[in-house]
Amino acid sequence: MVGSTPSDVRVVTVMTLVGLVAGCRQREPVTSLPGPSSPTVTSQGPGPAPLRRLTKHQYENTLRDLFDLDVTEHLPDEPVVGGFEGAAEAQLPSELFVSRAQRSAQRYAEALVSDPGRLKRVLQCDEWTKASSQARCVDGFLETTARRLYRRPLTDDEKARLKAELTRWTAEIDFVGAVQLALEELLLAPAFLYRPEPGPTLDGDQLATRLSFLLWDSGPDEALLERARSGALTTRADVRAEATRLLADPRARRTMWSFHRQWLGLERLMLDEHAVRTPAVDPQWTAATQQAAQEETRRFVEGVMAEEGTLGALLLSRRAWLDADTARLYGATVGDTMLDATQRAGVLTRVAFLASTAHRGATSPPIRGNAINLKLLCRMPTPPPAGIDTTPPTRPAGEKRTTRELFEERTRPTACAGCHHALNGLGFGFEHYDAAGQWRATEDGLPIDAKGETPALEGSFDGALELSSRLASSREVQVCATTMWARYALGRAPVPVEDAWLNASAERFVQSGGDVKALLLDLVSSPSFLALPGEPP
Amino acid sequence: MNRRQMLRALGLGALVAPRFSFGQGQTPPKRVVFFVQPHGHVPSSWKMAIPNGPTTTFASRSLSTVTQAELSLVLQPLFPFRNKVLAVEGLAHTAVLEDIAYLHRNGGDANNHNVAVADLLTGNRAAQHPGFPCTGGAISIDQVLAQRTVGPGRFGSRVYGGDYVPNQVVAPFSFLGASQPTPVVKSPQAAFTDLLGAQPAPDVRSAKLERARLSVLDSVAEEYRAVAQRLGREGRQKLESHSALVRDLEVSLASQLSQPQCLPSLDASGHVTRQFMRLIRMAFACDLTRVMTFAAPVPPCSDFGYPAAHDVHATYAHSSVDGATSCGQAYTPVSERAMSDLSVWYGQHLAFLLAELDAVPEGDGTLLDHTVVVWLSELGTPTHRHHDAFTVLIGSGSGFFETGRYVRYPVLHDNPVSGDVNEWPRIGPAHNKLFVSLLQAMGQSDTAFGTTEATSRTGERISLTGPLTELHR
């Protein structure tokens, strides 16, 4: 089926990515896991399942969902390797992580026991001042709070150990102090901070955990754990049904933002350099504008994904949820609104993308073009030849030229033109947007030329609206998005054993018109998601 | 008094009575600071002449008698410490060049910034993630030293700094291993709390909780060890490592702060870089760690006297070196001056650190005398050369390095990278050898670090092993 048509760019892309993964220089390859729990990977079976740790966001979301609580002790920033946070390969523990986790656990535990309402929920009982009632509270604590944190029932050994510790600490300090320390212990445990899957098969709790961290960026709720325990998460249809429920829940918005902010590099807007725009670009731009633009894009991504849920809508929707800062930049009204149909379409024409791919005082067509190439088309650029000057051109005094003209001059030499044709050709399409993402009809009094072309898309285009529309219907973009989602879901690069289902998923994603929820249902019913390596499908 | 009690004592305004001194029968420990700064240096702004020095063999010039004006522009901020300075001209980031040559042959992310940031402190090939920027391919020198100097109640290392964003990629320098960036602390306040722990409430019950907390950690460490046994190699390695780190933390929380020069406080005034410099002094004086890495951020141009609208990378870096080939735009004196002034700006912050370290008496000298501060940049020049690298050591590491000198290594090998031979000429010894010297300065017996061999474009085999003995006393 897939790959039989020579003109099918899509398959080539997936195969190229997968092939390069295999061919690149690897250290200790995480893809082969010898040992009792890691039998040989068959040609069609599940891919490797390296140990994953909760990301900083997953940790915070899980505790917020469980206890309705946030604290200010933060885990270290997540390393980004291979485009996404949470890559299993990047999660070797560090001194800093371990000490931050300890302080954070202490803060959460303190906050939980010092509020009687919360403590009642933690203990699942109303009365703990008398020794006679404490035993029942301990059972409630272990059966509910501890189980939810571990995302599975505790073993008898684990219960016995915690009970013994609670007894000892109650004698040494008092009952509430003992519960506080037990909470710290649970919050530091491997069963909470990591997602161990010792095998030989993936059990229901572990599958529930995979589902919720992928689709909610948080731990499973009671209903999901209950389905897992009652055997109602066994068939592929069960999993799809449960995933459908999770995707309909507001918590799925977190995953949509988490994936897209990383895939499209939208969070780059929050780097220090984007706290400033020159007065000539936007005299009112402050760090608050930077934050507002980020939030506007988050609302857009979450909103569009909750409603239309397609890649097309992400690239084409004019819907916007604006505050005063962003309304000013767009020249639109505050609130739930539609942006000007002649100026805006989708995420690539929003301030977060446009400003984060510009300099403080000027646009950079190659940076914008490179972002499209790298993120949406999965095409790695060829670096400039050694010694090449890549400084943006400056305007000679007295001589007016547009940014486009300056870059065309700069990259005219043969050594530059090859690659820059691809980058500039895409980036020029955004020349109607200045370094703050504001629409401009002219630049320095000169007319804007936003015509572009690129080898990746057949034919030329005029402006970002046409480019977005071309990208929205591009098979190459849809295949690229599939591999990005797979990487995000698996916490690692896909491996050759996954070619077959990944290609089939990409094909279905294209056929569905870029239906992201359908793609996620596909991913969660893939062999690599449902089983451990060596497990029969 | 443990760290948390110390913090409480400080809150009450108390000072700490010295228990013992490194001077009294104790040899002060050696420390290392990596001060890593992006974008390289303009050669004309930091190199010095060596009168009558040979050009084909190692050459050296004493700094003890120079005036401040005789120092190169970039070295001038270090004038007060000139007898403790060892400026080294002529080293090449040969491991980076080897990697780039390899990537030109085999494909991958060969972007000059990305590769150099990944390779500088690892001295090794980058880890490639096809379709994404490369990252560190091995453990970096600071983390190796961390592993060798970690001790009961003492952290292996800390990494501080800001976002360095060359080429649209946020890049760290320090790595725990392949594809494992070491977490960087960007806030001085957080860094301070990381070193000293959280402040406990001053009551009997809190003290009891604090004591019992050690048994929590004990239990947690045991659990990691137990779960690790049930996993495959990759998971087992992570959880065993996690277990060991919990054990270290347990010791750390119960450990004593007893160094005489240890006055833990956070002075949150001044530039964030200076706040970190003071924290480095505190951490060393209190012996909370012996290895520090500071990845200096790229400042807004207004910080060093240039228009706020300009950008170091976009406006100045690539047009700052006279004679560098360019594409469409040539060298400008304004860019050269701007990059030089940026180097001086970094030098001034570093001089602040040196003054902090030199103000702490220790044994028969100062804390600086028992430290090696290594000032590096991932690029040789802002135009992406990886040879002719700027390398400055300050502090002799308790007399291991012969300081008070400006030295020059001659070119020895053809460059591994093919290309414009004017821009990529013959190169000097590998900076991996500097790291070997550093390991030996820290009492280690290593004879190699990172990549051990490269091949020049003419087929010559270049060894990257062994120390730079000319630098040793």
Side-chain angles (χ1 to χ4, degrees), chain A residues 449-492:
Chain A
D449 177 2
K451 285 195 277 297
E453 57 175 351
T454 176
L457 301 168
E458 283 172 34
S460 58
F461 58 89
D462 189 358
L465 303 194
E466 203 181 330
L467 174 60
S468 289
S469 154
R470 203 72 69 75
L471 291 168
S473 59
S474 156
R475 296 174 70 87
E476 191 172 345
V477 172
Q478 287 160 337
V479 172
C480 179
T482 304
T483 62
M484 292 287 186
W485 267 114
R487 192 178 265 271
Y488 178 84
L490 299 169
R492 58 170 171 78

Side-chain angles (χ1 to χ4, degrees), chain A residues 45 56 87 142-143 153 156 172 174 177 207 274 297 312 323 327 340 360 378 410 416 434 486 501 511:
Chain A
K56 173 182 170 158
L142 296 178
E143 297 300 335
D156 290 344
E172 284 172 18
D174 50 45
L207 181 56
H274 301 302
T297 302
D323 67 350
D340 187 331
R360 292 182 181 88
C378 286
R410 166 66 66 78
C416 308
D434 69 14
W501 69 257
Q511 297 309 323

